[in-house]
Amino acid sequence: MSQLELDPVTAPVSPPRRAGRRARTSAFWLALPLAVAAVAVFVLPLTGLLPDGGQNLDATRQPPAFLAGGSWAHPLGTDKLGQDLLTQFVSAGRLTIVIGLVGALVAIGPGTLLGLLAGYFRGWVDRVISILIDAQLALPFILVALAIIANRGSSLPVLFLVLALTGWAVCARVTRAATLAIRERQFVVGLRAAGASEPRIVFRHILPNLAGTIVALGTLQVGTAILVESALSFLGLGVVPPMNSWGSMLASGQDELSQAWWIAFFPGLAITVLVLLVNLLGDALLTHHDPRKRRR
Amino acid sequence: MSEVTETGVPGDLARHPRTPESDTPVLEVDDLVVEHRDGGTGTLFRAVDQVSLRIAAGESVAVVGESGSGKTTLAMAATGLGPRGRGDIRLLGHSLSAVSRTQLRRLRPEVQVVFQDPHGSLDPRQSVRSGLRELRALQPERTSWIDDADLLGRVRLAPDLLDRYPHQLSGGQAQRVCIARALLMRPRLIVADEPTSGLDVSVQADVLALLRQIRATTGAALLMISHDLAVVRSLCDVVHVMYRGRVVEAGPCDRVFGTPENDYTRELLAAMPGARWRSRR
Ligand SMILES: Nc1ncnc2c1ncn2[C@@H]1O[C@H](COP(=O)(O)OP(=O)(O)OP(=O)(O)O)[C@@H](O)[C@H]1O
Ligand SMILES: [Mg+2]
């Protein structure tokens, strides 16, 4: 592949095409388990199949069903109050997925907009936005998070604010670069000659051409949002009781690691697998939309 | 000058059928200077240096010169579509520095551009049909004179191409679509920036014939940028020779190519394709 890329003139058309198709197929196989998991955490609670989530002080710290001493009444075991861990796992997964999606949206929304404006209008608009991007990227996210949370306390809106602030800059930077390239394409001049207004050119022509890149960026951002949320929740700064996310389950399980490792293990595993799949999906989408690998 | 304001309003096209003899020049450029700022060092590079240009209605003007001599920059700045330059530009008698934004948007369709890379000139996300639909929405009065199928017929394309996307068109087909899009606007000036350089030799002649025919039937003026002297000679009345941002020689094609006065022109003529024509004379 790399050898063919060195020589674009003689390279046959099919390899880039095949690369595009391969990226699309792998994107499908990565998206499938993610979709199944997402549907599962929303549908399972409605089916009545999950164990009752209430306290039961007679059955605390029960191991999962497949370990000695476990029972199928609590497939993933119970915590120190005897509450069913599978029920918690599902509802925490729901919140984790919602936080990942909303957290990505609040970051790529403003990020895309600012990147578009900087790339299209250049000049002082670009200079101001670029300085903001660089400043944001220079700030360690934990500092930003601590500053905001210390001020406002932890709640979901504050968490989304943190996710927006820590995520927009990367999106803005990528969108800006892509916009700079597209605005030089001649069809933009043609549209201007037809009397198209600047907003029309930016939002009806440049933005749709960036859609693939933005979707890929957004997917990667879902992974980042979940990791940030987990880290904050682990520190007790993100999701706080009575709400539960995989990150906060991990946090509450850490004290019990020696007696009941499974409390922290399953949420930890879930975060790892989820973020891994999401990132691989994002990479596959990015490859698919890489102009070098796509036939014009 | 009363004629001037009338010609500037697209809606008046029907009431004032344009005649090639109309005496307001389509484009007048006086002492245009365009400088590019080098991104890295911030120094200014003078891509167009004190160029004056006049294109009468229906006239066909060529700009020739080596690569990097500033031809594209001149054409884009002179039509108000590219970088802003210093100097006076009058489009159909309207000074570009004096017109309002809205006026400019109405004036713009009077100039249409056809580029070297036809695929880059079409939005990859738009089918031919939806692209034309957008142009019609932007300029409803101006574009109502012909329907899509007829328009494609004018550039000798079959109407079933309407639902294709740019990547499904050959280079020649895409260039014809670009020409059709320009034609739809009924422009008074067509800027063609090396319109055949990106095409296969076999379709170059077709595209040139098409441009010639459009000029004959619509009376639009042409600003043609080309490397090919044979093309310039067959299509243009007047030629401007550019060298390092300046026009070093200008005049009727026959005169400039027959008895070039400038040393650089002579050198260029010797190096350009189509120059054999000169020795035959
Ligand atoms: N956006 C830009 N920024 C900086 N320099 C530019 C820019 N566009 C063009 N130039 C420079 O201005 C000069 C003139 O460029 P221009 O594209 O007008 O040349 P040209 O005569 O059209 O060349 P060609 O025949 O290769 O198309 C070149 O030296 C080029 O490097
Ligand atoms: Mg050029």
Side-chain angles (χ1 to χ4, degrees), chain A residues 186-187 193-194 200 205 209 296, chain B residues 112 115 120 123 134 139 167:
Chain A
Q186 288 161 343
F187 74 81
R200 169 179 283 270
H205 292 275
N209 276 290
R296 286 235 313 243
Chain B
Q112 292 296 305
F115 291 104
D123 185 338
E134 180 174 28
Q139 305 288 342
H167 73 272

Side-chain angles (χ1 to χ4, degrees), chain A residues 185-198 200 204-206 208-212 289 294-296, chain B residues 76 81 101 105 108-109 111-113 115-117 119-126 134-135 138-139 167 181 185:
Chain A
R185 301 273 288 277
Q186 288 161 343
F187 74 81
V188 174
V189 178
L191 285 164
R192 220 174 276 142
S197 63
E198 307 288 342
R200 169 179 283 270
R204 302 284 282 270
H205 292 275
I206 293 184
N209 276 290
L210 293 177
H289 290 286
R294 200 176 51 175
R295 210 168 100 83
R296 286 235 313 243
Chain B
M76 288 302 105
L81 290 169
R101 269 175 107 86
R105 227 149 60 212
R108 274 196 164 145
V111 181
Q112 292 296 305
V113 265
F115 291 104
Q116 176 176 347
D117 169 22
H119 282 114
S121 312
L122 297 169
D123 185 338
R125 300 232 142 205
Q126 258 184 341
E134 180 174 28
L135 295 185
L138 286 169
Q139 305 288 342
H167 73 272
R181 287 168 60 94
M185 290 289 167

Side-chain angles (χ1 to χ4, degrees), chain B residues 1 67 73 84 131-132 135 163 278-279:
Chain B
M1 289 302 271
S67 185
T73 309
R84 273 176 180 277
L132 291 175
L135 295 185
D163 291 309
R278 194 162 49 97
S279 51

Side-chain angles (χ1 to χ4, degrees), chain B residues 4 34 39 47 68 136 138 168 191-192 203-204 244 274:
Chain B
V4 170
V34 185
R136 290 180 189 280
L138 286 169
Q168 297 168 321
V191 177
V203 283
Q204 286 184 358
R244 297 199 177 170

Side-chain angles (χ1 to χ4, degrees), chain B residues 68-90:
Chain B
S69 55
K71 307 180 295 292
T72 301
T73 309
L74 168 66
M76 288 302 105
T79 50
L81 290 169
R84 273 176 180 277
R86 294 194 300 275
D88 195 23
I89 301 170
R90 284 183 305 285

Side-chain angles (χ1 to χ4, degrees), chain A residues 122 184, chain B residues 35-39 45-48 65-75 83 116 193-194 225 227 242:
Chain A
R122 301 190 294 186
E184 296 303 324
Chain B
E35 288 169 335
H36 287 301
R37 189 175 292 279
D38 188 294
F45 175 79
R46 200 169 265 214
V48 173
E66 64 188 16
S67 185
S69 55
K71 307 180 295 292
T72 301
T73 309
L74 168 66
Q116 176 176 347
D193 190 349
E194 305 187 29
I225 296 171
H227 276 120
M242 277 191 90

